[in-house]
Amino acid sequence: MRKQLEALIFELSSPGRKAFTLPGLDVPETDLPESYTRDQPNLPEVSELDFVRHYTHLSQMNFSIDTVFYPLGSCTMKYNPKVNERAASIEGLTHVHPLQPEATVQGSLELMYKLQEALKEISGFSAISLQPAAGAHGEFAGVLIMRAYHESRGDEKRTKILIPDSAHGTNPASSAMSGFSVVEIPSDERGNVDLEALKQECDSTVVGLMLTNPNTLGLFEEQVLEVCETIHACGGLVYGDGANLNALLGITKPADQGIDVMHFNLHKTFTTPHGGGGPGCGPVGVTEELAPFLPGPYSINEGDTYRLDMPEKSIGRLKSFCGNYGMFIRAYTYIRMMGPDGLRSVAENAVLNANYLKAKVSPFFPVAVDRTCMHEFVSHGDVPGTDVIALDVAKRLLDYGHHSPTNYFPLIVHDALMIEPTETESKETLDNFAEALEKIHQEAHEEPELLHSAPHITPVYRLDEATAARKPVLCYKG
Amino acid sequence: MKIDPNARYSKEHEWVRKDGENYLYGITDHAQDQLSDIVFIEFPEPGESFASGDIIGVVESVKAAADLYMPISGEITEVNEHLADTPEILNSDPFGEGWIVMFKSSDPSEFESLISAEDYEKLTGEE
Amino acid sequence: MPPYLPQTADDQQVMLETIGFQSVEQLFEDIPAEHRYPELNLPQAASELEILDELYGMALKNSTTGCFATFIGAGAYNHFVPSAVPYLAGRGEFVTAYTPYQPEVSQGTLQAIFEYQSMVAELTGMEVVNASHYDGATSMAEAAIMSINVSRGKRRKIVVSPSVHPQYRQVLRTYLPGEQVEITGDEDLSTGLDDLKAMLDENTACLIVQNPDFFGQLLEVDDLAETVHESGALLVVVANPIHSLGLFKPPGDYGADIVVAEGQPLGAGLNFGGPYLGIFASNMKYVRQMPGRLVGETVDTEGKRGYVLTLSPREQHIRREKATSNICTNQGLVALIAGMYLAYLGKSGIKEVAELCYHRAHYAAKEIDKLENYKVISPGPFFNEFVVQCPQPVEEINKILLEKGILGGYDLESDYSEAKNQMLVCVTELNDRAQIDKLVTVLSEIA
């Protein structure tokens, strides 16, 4: 990792320098309407080499899957195959305008259709829309679908969405955006949804339940069938948050468990890269009953041709055009590379890796709920008898060349470290990581200052987040 | 944890203290400690009236946000504008310079119904 | 063995022994037995060369902008992408990093996004730019929600111009369904700026206009913000196409409170509609009501400059149901690309690209207008898109153009029933004079 700081691109600027070349003007000039014109925007002026070095240096200041182990819980930071990137840069697929006549984009529509079909088979749902651009966008679609379904039946008294306390923050936020109130359901001591508490909230005002399974503790809901039956019995629907689908590929189909609507995270389960924050892709799948409400358009097949279609009672468009198409290509490539047996091995190895790492780590950082886990587990990150907290452990791990696990989440576990190794990491990597944690545990007792002041190998030390928020500087001011 | 013996308290870790005819209101030492570095306070407008339990504003730290609840019904007469520029005062002096709003209340009995300093100390001790 | 899975049979055996399990299947006993290990009816695994062959086959069924002279825009724009941009944006350290939650090992992404925020602020004339939304349409919907939040939920009417991109208006209605918010103004295409101003009242959260509008027209915005602000509402400007800001007044200069735009033209390519880039900008006054991630500057424990995600309590992972938006994953890499594109073009480049678009578009418009059966009906100044009244349905004309190697303009009738035989033509720096002349010639042959 590069240790030296990099100047801002503006600070590298020198008047008159430039990187671009453009063709000369080959048509007569037309006067500009003067009352509409502006002063030149003050953008940087750099040479191409300055430009290349700048961004190369910046890249060297990042941890990434390509460079280090990245066990960020709930994020499924698995290896992103390079064939995906090649596939997504095939000019015949990238140099296509979204509003071209359908006859001229049959290849793109075919790929969409085939990806929809594959996701149906993997999940057990009857219909898929690829339109949502991210997990939270897919959730929002799901909540709007539930809303539209109830409205279509004239059932307008349903106003509340039930959400387990272990859920991602996007669940309540998506519910609130749709105008519903949120009721939090506690977890029981085995990390499941507290069934008794759930039953008490089940009445004729329930829109649905938002269930993440496996949940954010990395545990499979042991009573998932009963949970879904309970919701259905009061007329509600079950929304599945598919963030953790990686554990279930080929092992079980969410629709079979009673889930009515679910989003996928192509950027978690299906190896499309995270891009330092996005783009993701959050397709949504539904049962036959909910299929007419899907967002659109999606791709349908008529004989030898494909075309875009809007579902009959669609909640509408969630973004312009078809969705994050580049991600469709990558996910489709991955599914085809793996095949059905390969996908099943993905889930098996993801779960085996997590349980193995749990066994190695838990003597030093005990797990919050000690059961067989799925793709991830949550440990307490503090070190009793010292003043070391999970944040210190997370930062010290960076010095050992590993990215930190997720910290501060799920909210129901004090000082959580949420660890998801994924299936693409070797036993040696897992052993190295466990060893690092063991050493850090020892350091916490012997040299706690080493942890409090960590990380040390990075371009910057710990950053003053309080000042950043109190006196926000959000733009270069020159 | 510091406690102001002259104030009364709410379960949401807010304090209220008589100040002449009016009342001062803030968050407790325990609350600021839980939130850690406070970076922003969203105030109500002077002149606004609230019932007890209404949300009157928000306190934000780097990693958390907490709603401010009106502990007893009343009308806001003043907000502590110093906090807008120096929210860290809420961390350093929550019972003094870190008061958040001043309000007047029409029903003094509501104040008496709040938690006493002794009971609040016990409450935080249990957490 | 499937690809990307390093564990050998021996590894698996040792690992199972370590955790005290007999088999991998045993790990899944929490899953209801009747639903375990279902049949998965998918095509068998393909090798890398087979899957690439399959995709090349699909690609051949598309007509691409690489082979056709492309005159379609309407929200997605065919611009040249300098080679250095995808080369650097494709670096694994950018592509395979997560959201920069650990700032010490994410300074690359954080600084690049800070630079993006700064450059887009300059381009739009605004004070704050967030780290991106999904696309221009969702940015606009979030702007409407933010306007309602700025009024603390008291104002619940959104006035939107009919000349805002039709798909953006559809997304707005998906985001704000039901009776709780009134969306109005766009019922009739003849509704102009003055009519929209007349609709503003004490219940209006914002007025949304697009400039240049969906038909390519530059708006007369002189006293627009003043009128909007008098009513207590916010002015939201959809600044599309974004390259127009290389030449024409940024919305910040004429008083916009929120500026949104589609950032795709800034180096992202067409990609059949995504991933694109939702640009979202506002002013410091409203920063706490803004949705999305923000990167801010600060110092480390030694006083060195560094960057962090900041003002996070607005966001869902902290505020949950009270968050300003549910957005989490955004379009980070596309924002990085846009930042790179702007840095590469720089101060003079953005202007020169915009000028090429402008002059070539005006040349095309003049030449088409000379044709007997065609008329350019754009009434005022435009940037690089204009409306042509055609002698036949646009769909028919486009079929003929396609045979001659031309992807024709957008058929306005598909969104506006009154726009019969009207084509929205887009010209960029990728359409040289020869392409334009060819378009004019082919059109002239269609009477």
Side-chain angles (χ1 to χ4, degrees):
Chain A
M1 157 156 280
R2 187 182 166 87
K3 184 96 172 121
Q4 208 180 332
L5 292 185
E6 174 69 11
L8 284 164
I9 189 86
F10 301 94
E11 295 161 345
L12 299 170
S13 178
S14 183
R17 212 168 264 163
K18 70 184 187 86
F20 73 94
T21 57
L22 282 170
L25 191 61
D26 53 359
V27 297
E29 278 193 42
T30 303
D31 289 342
L32 287 163
E34 261 176 40
S35 60
Y36 294 83
T37 55
R38 71 175 292 168
D39 298 334
Q40 274 191 352
N42 193 21
L43 296 177
E45 295 171 88
V46 295
S47 71
E48 181 164 311
L49 180 57
D50 287 343
F51 173 85
V52 169
R53 288 205 180 126
H54 177 67
Y55 284 103
T56 304
H57 289 165
L58 287 183
S59 76
Q60 290 166 337
M61 293 159 82
N62 268 3
F63 269 13
S64 65
I65 300 172
D66 279 2
T67 49
V68 299
F69 180 43
Y70 216 123
L72 203 58
S74 207
C75 302
T76 315
M77 296 297 281
K78 57 162 100 174
Y79 173 63
N80 304 142
K82 301 312 162 202
V83 62
N84 291 355
E85 299 309 306
R86 182 161 171 185
S89 56
I90 294 173
E91 286 209 1
L93 298 174
T94 57
H95 285 37
V96 182
H97 193 286
L99 296 172
Q100 282 181 215
E102 282 171 355
T104 68
V105 291
Q106 284 298 301
S108 293
L109 297 178
E110 178 185 345
L111 188 145
M112 275 177 77
Y113 180 80
K114 287 183 171 169
L115 177 60
Q116 289 166 195
E117 290 297 302
L119 293 178
K120 275 161 69 174
E121 180 61 19
I122 288 165
S123 61
F125 289 112
S126 298
I128 302 277
S129 170
L130 301 173
Q131 203 181 50
H137 210 208
E139 279 175 29
F140 183 43
V143 175
L144 290 174
I145 289 168
M146 295 199 280
R147 178 195 168 110
Y149 166 78
H150 291 307
E151 267 178 14
S152 76
R153 293 157 51 247
D155 188 351
E156 281 168 10
K157 60 192 175 302
R158 295 184 183 269
T159 53
K160 69 178 181 190
I161 296 210
L162 312 181
I163 299 180
D165 56 6
S166 59
H168 293 114
T170 48
N171 287 183
S174 300
S175 304
M177 265 175 85
S178 315
F180 295 125
S181 62
V182 172
V183 177
E184 197 170 273
I185 305 296
S187 304
D188 67 18
E189 71 280 2
R190 287 186 61 75
N192 295 313
V193 171
D194 185 330
L195 201 53
E196 286 315 305
L198 181 73
K199 283 178 179 163
Q200 278 177 17
E201 289 294 342
C202 280
D203 55 32
S204 61
T205 67
V206 170
V207 176
L209 167 75
M210 295 184 88
L211 185 71
T212 308
N213 192 22
N215 64 26
T216 60
L217 293 167
L219 303 172
F220 193 88
E221 284 292 334
E222 291 169 299
Q223 299 143 316
V224 63
L225 300 180
E226 209 176 341
V227 165
C228 292
E229 277 163 23
T230 305
I231 297 295
H232 291 152
C234 76
L237 296 169
V238 182
Y239 180 86
D241 181 323
N244 297 337
L245 186 66
N246 204 44
L248 305 182
L249 292 173
I251 306 293
T252 186
K253 299 185 180 184
D256 292 348
Q257 293 153 27
I259 310 285
D260 300 290
V261 43
M262 187 188 89
H263 83 262
F264 303 75
N265 293 81
L266 299 190
H267 48 297
K268 294 181 179 177
T269 315
F270 298 101
T271 67
T272 79
H274 287 75
C281 189
V284 60
V286 290
T287 58
E288 199 174 348
E289 203 174 8
L290 298 182
F293 303 100
L294 277 176
Y298 53 23
S299 178
I300 62 169
N301 164 279
E302 286 170 342
D304 288 339
T305 57
Y306 299 89
R307 68 179 178 85
L308 290 173
D309 193 36
M310 222 38 195
E312 187 194 340
K313 299 174 191 166
S314 175
I315 57 164
R317 221 175 232 298
L318 270 167
K319 71 187 292 296
S320 46
F321 314 122
C322 296
N324 277 345
Y325 193 83
M327 303 299 131
F328 306 167
I329 304 172
R330 290 173 176 89
Y332 179 74
T333 303
Y334 176 69
I335 291 170
R336 289 287 291 113
M337 287 287 293
M338 300 312 287
D341 300 333
L343 290 176
R344 196 170 283 128
S345 299
V346 164
E348 288 180 341
N349 281 284
V351 172
L352 178 61
N353 275 5
N355 278 283
Y356 176 74
L357 192 58
K358 175 164 79 80
K360 294 282 219 178
V361 167
S362 57
F364 311 101
F365 297 95
V367 280
V369 179
D370 200 2
R371 274 171 48 192
T372 304
C373 68
M374 292 284 111
H375 61 299
E376 68 189 357
F377 62 96
V378 179
S379 280
H380 292 290
D382 55 336
V383 180
T386 74
D387 58 356
V388 165
I389 58 172
L391 180 71
D392 300 322
V393 175
K395 297 294 185 198
R396 182 63 180 150
L397 267 169
L398 306 175
D399 285 339
Y400 282 89
H402 301 296
H403 195 278
S404 317
T406 299
N407 187 199
Y408 295 123
F409 187 80
L411 304 175
I412 55 169
V413 176
H414 174 67
D415 242 11
L417 284 180
M418 187 186 202
I419 303 173
E420 180 178 11
T422 83
E423 74 282 1
T424 58
E425 298 296 336
S426 68
K427 179 173 169 296
E428 289 84 343
T429 301
L430 304 182
D431 288 339
N432 278 339
F433 180 74
E435 245 170 66
L437 275 176
E438 185 182 347
K439 279 191 201 141
I440 291 169
H441 188 264
Q442 202 178 335
E443 289 169 353
H445 289 284
E446 292 166 3
E447 281 180 281
E449 199 36 47
L450 212 49
L451 276 66
H452 296 318
S453 59
H456 306 93
I457 63 146
T458 48
V460 287
Y461 295 107
R462 281 195 210 184
L463 291 151
D464 184 351
E465 299 190 36
T467 302
R470 282 174 189 147
K471 307 260 182 285
V473 177
L474 306 173
C475 274
Y476 174 70
K477 290 285 190 312
Chain B
M1 249 358 102
K2 279 178 282 184
I3 299 263
D4 178 354
N6 299 318
R8 297 189 83 87
Y9 295 85
S10 76
K11 278 189 183 148
E12 280 79 30
H13 305 286
E14 293 142 338
W15 58 262
V16 182
R17 194 169 61 222
K18 265 200 158 136
D19 187 80
E21 293 294 290
N22 292 330
Y23 296 88
L24 284 175
Y25 161 95
I27 62 168
T28 66
D29 196 34
H30 175 81
Q32 71 76 20
D33 184 63
Q34 292 287 308
L35 283 164
S36 78
D37 295 328
I38 288 163
V39 297
F40 178 71
I41 299 113
E42 186 185 308
F43 297 104
E45 300 276 340
E48 278 189 278
S49 290
F50 296 95
S52 96
D54 284 355
I55 293 173
I56 60 166
V58 182
V59 176
E60 286 183 14
S61 68
V62 172
K63 301 263 182 245
D67 288 323
L68 296 172
Y69 295 93
M70 193 72 171
I72 57 182
S73 56
E75 182 191 324
I76 307 295
T77 55
E78 201 182 330
V79 303
N80 186 355
E81 309 237 351
H82 287 300
L83 297 179
D85 288 330
T86 47
E88 54 270 33
I89 295 175
L90 265 186
N91 291 115
S92 58
D93 190 8
F95 294 109
E97 293 294 307
W99 65 274
I100 297 172
V101 298
M102 185 186 276
F103 64 91
K104 57 185 180 193
S105 179
S106 47
D107 184 359
S109 70
E110 281 191 70
F111 176 69
E112 298 304 326
S113 69
L114 292 172
I115 302 167
S116 70
E118 297 78 48
D119 289 345
Y120 180 71
E121 193 162 14
K122 278 185 218 152
L123 187 82
T124 50
E126 284 161 11
E127 276 189 8
Chain C
M1 203 164 85
Y4 323 125
L5 303 176
Q7 251 57 291
T8 63
D10 286 350
D11 289 334
Q12 289 191 346
Q13 197 49 44
V14 174
M15 292 166 79
L16 282 169
E17 278 165 23
T18 307
I19 60 176
F21 279 69
Q22 306 296 319
S23 68
V24 172
E25 288 77 16
Q26 230 187 324
L27 293 165
F28 295 101
E29 285 180 354
D30 285 344
I31 297 172
E34 65 270 37
H35 299 306
R36 229 181 285 157
Y37 284 103
E39 193 196 342
L40 211 49
N41 187 17
L42 292 171
Q44 289 306 313
S47 66
E48 183 171 346
L49 70 90
E50 287 168 310
I51 177 65
L52 286 172
D53 258 355
E54 184 184 331
L55 293 169
Y56 290 136
M58 289 183 189
L60 282 175
K61 298 175 193 167
N62 287 341
S63 306
T64 71
T65 57
C67 304
F68 288 74
T70 303
F71 291 95
I72 186 165
Y77 299 94
N78 189 30
H79 285 283
F80 180 74
V81 182
S83 311
V85 171
Y87 176 84
L88 290 163
R91 286 185 67 94
E93 299 94 326
F94 288 134
V95 174
T96 71
Y98 196 71
T99 304
Y101 288 134
Q102 295 290 342
E104 299 88 348
V105 290
S106 312
Q107 285 300 299
T109 294
L110 285 163
Q111 183 172 331
I113 297 298
F114 181 83
E115 292 174 352
Y116 159 82
Q117 291 175 183
S118 305
M119 285 185 267
V120 176
E122 184 62 30
L123 201 58
T124 54
M126 303 299 282
E127 293 169 354
V128 197
V129 176
N130 78 11
S132 75
H133 286 273
Y134 309 132
D135 64 2
T138 57
S139 278
M140 190 186 96
E142 296 269 14
I145 292 171
M146 174 171 149
S147 304
I148 296 168
N149 291 342
V150 165
S151 79
R152 296 193 178 201
K154 286 173 191 143
R155 291 168 175 257
R156 308 197 73 83
K157 181 165 122 182
I158 309 290
V159 180
V160 58
S161 161
S163 65
V164 167
H165 195 300
Q167 293 198 3
Y168 288 32
R169 288 182 285 116
Q170 289 167 21
V171 172
L172 177 67
R173 287 186 163 84
T174 309
Y175 266 59
L176 292 166
E179 311 294 310
Q180 292 168 359
V181 175
E182 181 193 357
I183 299 169
T184 186
D186 62 341
E187 294 82 358
D188 186 345
L189 184 53
S190 65
T191 306
L193 272 185
D194 286 334
D195 306 312
L196 293 169
K197 286 179 193 166
M199 292 179 191
L200 304 172
D201 59 22
E202 72 289 344
N203 194 31
T204 306
C206 65
L207 168 68
I208 308 178
V209 297
Q210 181 173 327
N211 190 23
D213 72 10
F214 184 63
F215 307 99
Q217 290 294 295
L218 288 159
L219 304 185
E220 295 266 7
V221 286
D222 296 341
D223 61 341
L224 184 60
E226 204 182 319
T227 315
V228 173
H229 293 156
E230 268 167 23
S231 77
L234 303 189
L235 175 61
V236 177
V237 176
V238 183
N240 272 355
I242 185 96
H243 277 88
S244 67
L245 298 181
L247 282 180
F248 299 112
K249 272 194 188 118
D253 279 17
Y254 53 85
D257 300 289
I258 305 174
V259 178
V260 296
E262 175 52 68
Q264 168 272 331
L266 304 176
L270 287 168
N271 284 312
F272 195 52
Y276 284 3
L277 170 64
I279 288 174
F280 193 107
S282 186
N283 288 325
M284 282 308 281
K285 186 177 164 189
Y286 299 119
V287 70
R288 306 256 170 197
Q289 279 90 35
M290 269 176 80
R293 296 175 183 144
L294 291 164
V295 176
E297 189 176 294
T298 187
V299 290
D300 74 358
T301 48
E302 308 246 294
K304 278 196 288 184
R305 184 171 70 181
Y307 300 89
V308 292
L309 289 176
T310 191
L311 306 181
S312 306
R314 301 164 297 112
E315 296 181 61
Q316 49 74 30
H317 61 285
I318 292 176
R319 278 299 256 170
R320 298 176 81 83
E321 67 268 27
K322 289 176 184 160
T324 52
S325 164
N326 71 337
I327 193 167
C328 180
T329 290
N330 56 19
Q331 304 284 117
L333 193 67
V334 193
L336 180 104
I337 289 169
M340 286 180 171
Y341 178 88
L342 289 171
Y344 190 90
L345 286 186
K347 191 173 184 168
S348 51
I350 187 75
K351 181 165 182 262
E352 286 183 31
V353 173
E355 280 172 345
L356 258 182
C357 296
Y358 177 86
H359 293 305
R360 285 178 171 172
H362 282 75
Y363 170 72
K366 280 174 204 158
E367 294 300 311
I368 292 171
D369 200 47
K370 285 179 194 163
L371 299 177
E372 199 177 337
N373 295 309
Y374 296 83
K375 192 169 168 46
V376 173
I377 57 169
S378 297
F382 63 90
F383 170 53
N384 72 332
E385 284 181 292
F386 54 92
V387 181
V388 180
Q389 184 70 54
C390 303
Q392 283 186 33
V394 175
E395 203 182 336
E396 297 303 318
I397 293 176
N398 275 340
K399 277 183 194 159
I400 300 166
L401 289 175
L402 203 62
E403 285 166 17
K404 306 280 182 185
I406 296 170
L407 278 169
Y410 184 67
D411 181 1
L412 285 171
E413 201 182 339
S414 50
D415 292 300
Y416 301 91
S417 58
E418 55 272 66
K420 223 171 169 43
N421 299 358
Q422 291 180 13
M423 181 190 279
L424 180 65
V425 176
C426 173
V427 179
T428 73
E429 79 279 11
L430 285 170
N431 303 110
D432 62 13
R433 183 172 185 154
Q435 283 193 2
I436 295 167
D437 289 344
K438 185 176 169 190
L439 171 71
V440 174
T441 306
V442 179
L443 284 178
S444 72
E445 291 160 3
I446 308 168

